[in-house]
């Protein structure tokens, strides 16, 4: 019997069939490196949940093998789970300048110290165990983004990270297509590539276009201008500041994360702010409206963000005024449409004018469209391909695109989180699964809210609750006190007094029947109460509140 | 002292600063007619609510004055509240052919008889009290839509209803611009006009374009085709059937409302179906995939609709198969994006190909864009203008458009639901308000769920619930049984045993302190329990479940 040859394993732990919580493990023998460690935001049905992180039980089980986390860029869906993950697995984190700047900010917020963060420059390689890992300059809607090439005994694993191809980047640092071409020429075993925009034809526009739009807007108004954008889009912020400078406006930076990220970006030399451009919020009244630009968070209509608070007169120092010009320099993340719309309506009601993506080129995507994806595929020429970062539809479209470029269908792996894809130098196949999925974070609880709790929350949310309390005498088996009925989220109690009185009778009858049948098991009493009330309430209201019978004995 | 001159009042009761539940009262002396009676769908925060209807307390109070409901077209946001409203105010309902066909269907579902429905043809007028009411042919995404001109002692009130200007309508019945021009020439006192697409430049495309796209799609595939669209868009259904006929496909009609509306439309002669085109769902297996088109409900990703059930393998007779081609002939109503996306992913996972609006011209809007609105304004030349049917942003943009066309700002009224706008022959002004707002329908309850119930549902949804029950002895004032603690939607109880034990101790301590202070008021005991637990749980979990203390006495 020959020993099985060791295989290279690629195990996506997040980011497949979803947007968010990107995380991929690369394993060879007893060594693992992990690319990215992101969070995602809760779906509508995850009631009360704050954030969602990947299930890392596989990593915890194989803790000893993990050499480190390699981070492609500093967005939440790539770094947001780090505070939770590092509490369980304290290994070094590798990334470029801004990426680590943002990780540091995050760890500080979570009061986590003693993590080894190691900065790597674009173009440099690090050695983690048997893996040699190259950080390749890429381009995305945040500075310092990387693609990652991992040199393994089986060949090169190339992960694009999130990317677009911007021929005129703001920082003049073009995506390192030469290096990527060189890797392609050398031979890439497998490529994992961003599928977010795989449904979109053509190419994503350059970030520079947005700058031109800003200049147009700034040139043609003497109103106060308020621009909402993602704080992490430092190049966007840079362009807004440059337009402000050009048209003699001072800049106010608003919103906690905007202030934080601008601070980090300036410290790191990524954002260059002309002297005397920024003013404090309290200095605004020394200027005319035409001399002011406010850069703010809240472009997704988040209720607690600065712009939303300005729009709802809930901000301590800023209020939207008649004549303000508000620019949403962003596009809605699916699910946020209604929240954004609410803020836009409030802004119009306060007399502001509002510009958003469908009206002007005030935003461009950070992800490659089909023509850019094709260039990437042509340059990298991988033997195998795993589309990542996307819902199933995106992965499927990306796979179709690769096929159209000539790849064989069987060399493309549309897989799930937790699927192990095994590689030798010439072959690839699916080789089982590891636990994967979502861990819900609610307050301090990580993973203590699961399907049962969510199901109960949904039930309570839709139809409310009725608590029935009755005290029964140990001696006689008869009611000693109660039944009392309390409802919440069901009906106005005041307007439903009759209903409540009748409900009590239903409970009493149910208990009498039990008594006459000599049924004294609490579980029997409870289910009699529950069943009787359920039918009664459904008939009367066509609703099914959660019914909680409580029996006490004295 | 001279008597105040009688004024004409226009009172929007729904449809302003919102999309949906359109309803407008026109009042003169002791006579009222009401235009439309629509519903809206619940916002995310209206947990558990089925539908929302206008507050009609003003109409109920003035019941005797109401001459009838005049309906512009058969969409839910114009007829959906009728079953609820007619139960309170049984007056005649006037509308065109399909409109009344759909109203009838709705009343039958609600088991409402004895309502006088009176059909009016396009171009006809009816007399309701002092009002003479013209039904003018219009064009919308449902056949038989009308604009309404109400001739009053103060002048003509012109309501566009929902409209677009389609120069090549499917039924060849062009919007009656001649009549509208004639009214404009005669002099219109006030126009109320659809603002839904007031933000969109240019013109809405003709419904015919969609037909051309269908022909292209049908010509180029031998796959089974499944088209999801709104059942009320009868012309869309007609075009799908014609394309099917042309390319030798049989048609299966799927989904309850699709079957119902197709039935009504055929009966009324609005939909013409070639002989032998429609087959029963059970006959499908006698045909090849290339000979089948399924027309179905579910274009908005509604979980219970036929397409969603096919996609999730939950449909009794139909399942999506590898190779199916699914067309979403619709665009997402804001808020439905994620639901639609979920269905699209499921369809792709089952091996279907999916075409939707961003990929091909498989849908056009039913509402006028800016150029069409301008035509309407130019033809009608109203003295006064009330933009209707839209969120504030749409009303504002529509008002701006009217100003750009030369109207004076003070002749344009952006108002709220419930605002009375009063007119004489030459003047208009806001003249107070009447009660208006939303009435929530939940199961059989109409209006019994209000803000307090919703607030409780939200609280329960986000953090769950903890019920604390304790029985106290009347004699001693000491605990006779309990405390018992039950939680739902808070934490996994099994994993949180320690927490629950500690929580009981907190409750006991709170009660002991009360005892030592001789506090025996139940309200005091309850708030001690609540406060003690609240702090304890927040410290331990950073969550704030609803805490319900129940005290019994024996």
């Amino acid at each position: 019997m020959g020993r099985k040859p060791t295989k290279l394993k690629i195990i996506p732990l997040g980011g497949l069939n979803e947007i968010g919580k990107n995380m991929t493990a690369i394993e060879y023998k007893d060594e693992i490196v992990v690319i990215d460690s992101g969070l995602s935001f809760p779906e509508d049905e995850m009631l009360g949940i704050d954030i969602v992180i990947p299930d890392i039980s596989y990593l915890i089980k194989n803790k000893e093998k993990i050499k480190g986390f390699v981070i492609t860029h500093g967005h939440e869906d790539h770094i947001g789970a780090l505070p939770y993950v590092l509490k369980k697995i304290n290994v070094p984190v590798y990334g470029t300048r801004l990426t680590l700047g943002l990780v540091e900010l995050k760890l500080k917020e979570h009061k986590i110290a003693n993590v080894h963060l190691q900065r790597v420059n674009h173009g440099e390689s690090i050695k983690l165990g048997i893996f040699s890992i190259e950080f390749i300059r890429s381009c995305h809607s945040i500075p310092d983004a990387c693609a990652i090439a991992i040199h393994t005994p089986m060949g090169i694993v190339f992960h694009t990270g999130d990317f677009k191809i911007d021929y005129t980047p703001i920082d003049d640092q073009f995506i390192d297509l030469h290096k990527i071409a060189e890797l392609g020429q050398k031979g890439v075993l497998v490529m994992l590539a961003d599928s977010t925009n795989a449904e979109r034809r053509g190419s994503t526009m350059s970030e520079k276009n947005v700058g031109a739009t800003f200049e147009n807007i700034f040139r043609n108004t003497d109103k106060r201008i308020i621009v909402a954008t993602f704080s992490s889009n430092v190049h966007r912020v840079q362009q807004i500041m440059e337009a402000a400078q050009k048209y003699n406006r001072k800049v106010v930076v608003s919103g906690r994360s905007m202030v934080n990220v601008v601070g980090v970006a300036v410290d790191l030399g990524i954002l260059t702010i002309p002297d005397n451009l920024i003013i404090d919020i309290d200095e605004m009244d020394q200027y005319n409206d035409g001399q002011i630009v406010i850069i703010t968070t809240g472009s997704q209509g988040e209720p607690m963000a600065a712009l939303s608070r300005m729009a709802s007169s809930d901000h301590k120092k800023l209020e939207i005024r008649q004549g303000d010009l508000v620019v949403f320099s962003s596009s809605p993340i699916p699910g946020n449409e209604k929240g954004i719309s609410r803020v836009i309506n409030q802004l119009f009601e306060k007399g502001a004018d509002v510009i958003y993506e469908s009206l002007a080129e005030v935003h461009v995507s950070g992800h490659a469209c089909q023509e850019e994806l094709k260039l990437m595929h042509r340059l990298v020429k991988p033997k195998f391909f795993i589309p990542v970062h996307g819902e199933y539809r995106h992965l499927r479209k990306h796979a179709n695109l690769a096929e159209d470029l000539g790849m064989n269908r069987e060399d493309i792996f549309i897989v799930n989180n937790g699927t192990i894809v095994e590689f030798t130098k010439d072959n690839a196949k699916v080789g089982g699964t590891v636990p994967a999925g979502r861990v819900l974070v609610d307050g301090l609880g990580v993973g203590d809210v699961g399907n049962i709790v969510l199901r109960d929350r949904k039930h309570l949310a839709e139809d409310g609750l009725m608590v029935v309390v009755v005290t029964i005498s140990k001696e006689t088996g008869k009611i000693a006190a109660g039944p009392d009925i309390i409802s919440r989220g069901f009906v106005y109690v005041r307007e439903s007094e009759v209903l409540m009185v009748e409900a009590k009778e239903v409970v009493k009858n149910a208990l009498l029947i039990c008594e006459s049948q000599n049924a004294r098991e609490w579980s029997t009493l409870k289910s009699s109460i529950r069943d009787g009330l359920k039918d009664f309430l459904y008939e009367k209201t066509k609703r099914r509140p959660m019914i909680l019978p409580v029996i006490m004995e004295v």
Side-chain angles (χ1 to χ4, degrees), chain A residues 37-52:
Chain A
S37 181
L39 60 74
S40 68
F41 294 100
E43 301 284 322
D44 286 348
E45 70 273 13
M46 299 181 193
L47 296 165
I49 298 304
D50 301 325
I51 64 163
V52 183

Side-chain angles (χ1 to χ4, degrees), chain A residues 438-512:
Chain A
R438 58 196 200 191
V439 172
L440 309 181
V441 179
D442 181 5
L444 293 182
V446 179
D448 68 340
V449 170
N451 289 334
I452 298 173
V453 173
L454 286 183
R455 198 192 54 202
D456 285 347
R457 285 184 184 176
K458 182 163 189 282
H459 189 172
L460 291 164
E462 286 181 355
D463 284 323
L465 152 95
M466 186 171 268
V467 182
V468 183
V469 191
V470 60
T471 305
I472 290 186
S473 156
K474 254 182 235 172
E475 288 169 42
T476 63
K478 287 188 200 298
I479 295 173
D484 273 5
I485 289 186
I486 299 162
S487 92
R488 287 290 185 279
F490 172 50
V491 288
Y492 277 138
V493 176
R494 269 190 213 165
E495 292 179 9
S496 310
E497 273 176 26
V498 178
L499 187 75
M500 292 302 166
V501 170
E502 289 175 356
K504 277 188 195 174
E505 289 307 312
V506 171
V507 173
K508 278 183 199 163
N509 285 335
L511 291 173
L512 280 177

